[in-house]
Amino acid sequence: RSDPSKDVAVAETVAVAPPCAMVIFGAGGDLTKRLVTPALYNLVTAKRLPDGFRLVGVDRTPGTVEEWRDNLTRMMDEFVTKGGGEFQADHLDQSAWRWLTDRMTFVHGDFTNPQDYGRLKEHLAGLDKTAGNHLFYLAVPDRFFAPIVAALGAADLVTEQDDGPWRRVVIEKPFGHDLPSAKALNAEILKTLQE
């Protein structure tokens, strides 16, 4: 049987994530609304995200950061009132939600347009408190995985220097549709990224 006092001690020593800009490709999509945003909200309420956290939405659909925030707020309110998705809560902590929405920015961009990655790079350079660390989350259909990774590489957005800011790319499933397509996708991605 576990000792509850030890469980509390372990929970209190869990580190807060390092500062970073998390860039979500597919910011207006279902995956972002139903899974990624609720997970980020849960991290905020658990006090696991640092003050130097920024959330950048990238989507092919034109819009503003205000429209993106409003859309996500409606979805989160709907989860609370009607249930659904992976997020189960009886209320939305407005202070925690505001903490997250205050850190949101939005960049309209075509996932296959190299100039849009240049604009994203400029946008990221203008963010404060992130220490230059970037996490790219690909919440997009799998046909965009390789083109986005290649474009990130071409824009010099995923290059790491020794003792410099870190770069990470998270790729949602499905990672290929069978073993040969998964191997082909992996080979394509490894042209730009290191595991």
Side-chain angles (χ1 to χ4, degrees):
R1 202 170 155 194
S2 72
D3 180 351
S5 65
K6 289 181 182 173
D7 293 342
V8 170
V10 169
E12 290 174 1
T13 61
V14 173
V16 172
C20 79
M22 179 177 179
V23 179
I24 302 177
F25 285 90
D30 193 59
L31 179 63
T32 299
K33 293 175 191 173
R34 294 190 176 280
L35 294 175
V36 179
T37 303
L40 290 171
Y41 168 80
N42 286 337
L43 289 172
V44 173
T45 60
K47 302 196 182 314
R48 299 286 178 91
L49 295 180
D51 185 51
F53 177 80
R54 300 295 180 265
L55 185 60
V56 180
V58 178
D59 205 83
R60 297 181 300 162
T61 303
T64 65
V65 67
E66 291 80 14
E67 291 169 333
W68 186 45
R69 286 179 188 146
D70 291 347
N71 193 335
L72 292 176
T73 299
R74 280 192 303 277
M75 181 63 76
M76 292 294 283
D77 286 337
E78 188 174 307
F79 288 151
V80 170
T81 59
K82 297 179 183 174
E86 299 293 320
F87 183 68
Q88 302 295 323
D90 59 359
H91 76 285
L92 188 63
D93 179 328
Q94 293 301 319
S95 175
W97 182 244
R98 192 172 326 102
W99 188 96
L100 185 60
T101 59
D102 285 350
R103 285 161 174 76
M104 290 180 179
T105 59
F106 185 84
V107 177
H108 170 249
D110 181 332
F111 304 151
T112 60
N113 183 346
Q115 283 112 0
D116 289 345
Y117 289 85
R119 287 189 314 107
L120 175 60
K121 186 175 185 175
E122 288 175 17
H123 182 83
L124 290 170
L127 297 179
D128 64 341
K129 300 184 179 184
T130 65
N133 298 322
H134 301 152
L135 168 69
F136 300 98
Y137 193 105
L138 279 54
V140 296
D142 60 342
R143 70 181 180 275
F144 291 114
F145 293 164
I148 289 174
V149 169
L152 288 170
D156 198 31
L157 282 165
V158 290
T159 304
E160 291 182 333
Q161 305 295 327
D162 291 338
D163 298 324
W166 51 259
R167 303 289 190 265
R168 302 289 183 269
V169 177
V170 177
I171 299 175
E172 256 308 326
K173 61 185 181 185
F175 193 90
H177 300 284
D178 53 22
L179 185 57
S181 64
K183 285 182 175 182
L185 177 57
N186 196 50
E188 198 61 35
I189 288 169
L190 288 175
K191 292 177 183 177
T192 304
L193 301 176
Q194 297 177 22
E195 291 201 44

